[in-house]
């Protein structure tokens, strides 16, 4: 297991390196003078030259990349062009807001999806199964930004059940502000998880150990909850690990619609102003979060199912 974990995290580090390098090159390939955009048309030539030298934009692209990784190895992500604050502190200040949004979305969507999928698999080809299938497909087809706008209009503006914008102060107030954004970006994952659990459960329910459990006279509830669901839930672990990356992209819509701070809103604002250090810092943290979550999901799968250890 330790050997598998070492190989998996080595692969994760390689993926982060490639992804960040590609993003670095793509940002530098955007047309236009980033220094002039950041400072505005009234900036003096001396100020433009100084900022160009500070960002190493006067050097070849591969030298810029080497300087970036050299600073990164020292824990230095650069300095914000406008505020002069370290990029690391700015990104880490926004990270908790995005993490709490993603965790809340995963918790409620996975819990409901697993329950719906397991119940539908335990009652195949019934009216409940058909209703669950239709609801799941409808949830999957609902874009996050549409759900965010509709939930804002219905539950915040019309019904006034939840606050419309911000993150709130205090634990209860923050949870109250978290309901609508988490609902908006987690709704589609209810459908994904429900369909995945149902398909996996139906496959497991036909295996020999399930028939043996029935032959021994165990209750159907015990068979489903203890012997079938524990195996059928394995693919869900992988999907949730990969889903964090999709939730990160969906969180951008939620943070903009509900005026929440977070990595997504930080990246959008920084791209608008061509603030290179902030963009690279936020992309690095987001990519690392996505890759590490996928690696942890693979490790959990390998721990639950030793056959998965031969895939890396």
């Amino acid at each position: 297991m330790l050997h598998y974990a070492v190989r998996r995290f080595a692969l994760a580090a390689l993926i982060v390196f490639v992804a960040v390098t590609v993003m670095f090159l793509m940002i530098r390939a955007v047309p236009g003078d980033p220094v002039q955009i950041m400072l505005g048309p009234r900036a003096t030539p001396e100020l433009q030259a100084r900022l160009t030298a500070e960002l190493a934009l006067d050097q070849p692209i591969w030298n810029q990349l080497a300087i970036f990784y050299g600073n990164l190895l020292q824990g230095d992500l650069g300095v914000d062009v406008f505020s002069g604050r370290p990029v690391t502190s700015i990104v880490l200040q926004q990270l908790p807001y995005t993490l709490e949004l993603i965790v809340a979305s995963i918790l409620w969507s996975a819990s409901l999806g697993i329950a719906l999928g397991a119940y539908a698999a335990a009652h195949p080809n019934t009216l409940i199964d058909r209703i669950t299938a239709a609801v799941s497909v409808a949830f999957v087809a609902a874009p996050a930004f549409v759900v965010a706008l509709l939930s804002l209009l219905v539950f915040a503006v019309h019904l006034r059940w939840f606050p419309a914008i911000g993150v709130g102060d205090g634990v209860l107030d923050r949870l109250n502000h978290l309901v609508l954004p988490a609902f908006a970006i987690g709704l589609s994952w209810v459908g994904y998880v429900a369909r995945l659990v149902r398909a996996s459960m139906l496959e497991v329910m036909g295996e020999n150990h399930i028939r043996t459990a029935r032959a021994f006279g165990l209750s159907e509830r015990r068979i489903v909850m203890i012997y079938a669901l524990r195996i059928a839930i394995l693919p869900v672990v992988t999907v949730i690990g990969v889903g964090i990356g999709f939730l990160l992209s969906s969180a951008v819509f939620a943070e903009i619609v509900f005026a929440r701070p977070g990595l997504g809103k930080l990246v959008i604002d920084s791209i608008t102003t061509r603030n290179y250090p902030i963009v690279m810092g936020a992309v690095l943290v987001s990519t690392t979060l996505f890759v590490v979550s996928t690696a942890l999901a693979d490790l959990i799968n390998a721990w639950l199912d030793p056959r998965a250890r031969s895939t890396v």
Side-chain angles (χ1 to χ4, degrees), residues 72-111:
L72 180 61
L73 293 176
Q74 303 176 31
D76 181 13
L77 293 177
V79 177
D80 180 17
V81 175
F82 301 104
S83 66
R85 295 172 54 200
V87 172
T88 304
S89 64
I90 295 175
V91 173
L92 294 181
Q93 183 181 12
Q94 303 298 317
L95 180 61
Y97 299 109
T98 300
L99 287 180
E100 69 182 18
L101 178 58
I102 291 175
V103 170
S105 304
I106 290 176
L107 286 178
W108 88 266
S109 61
S111 301

Side-chain angles (χ1 to χ4, degrees), residues 107-141:
L107 286 178
W108 88 266
S109 61
S111 301
L112 182 58
I114 290 172
L116 289 176
Y119 191 82
H123 304 82
N125 301 319
T126 62
L127 179 61
I128 294 296
D129 185 23
R130 294 188 180 94
I131 292 175
T132 302
V135 171
S136 299
V137 173
F139 286 170
V140 171

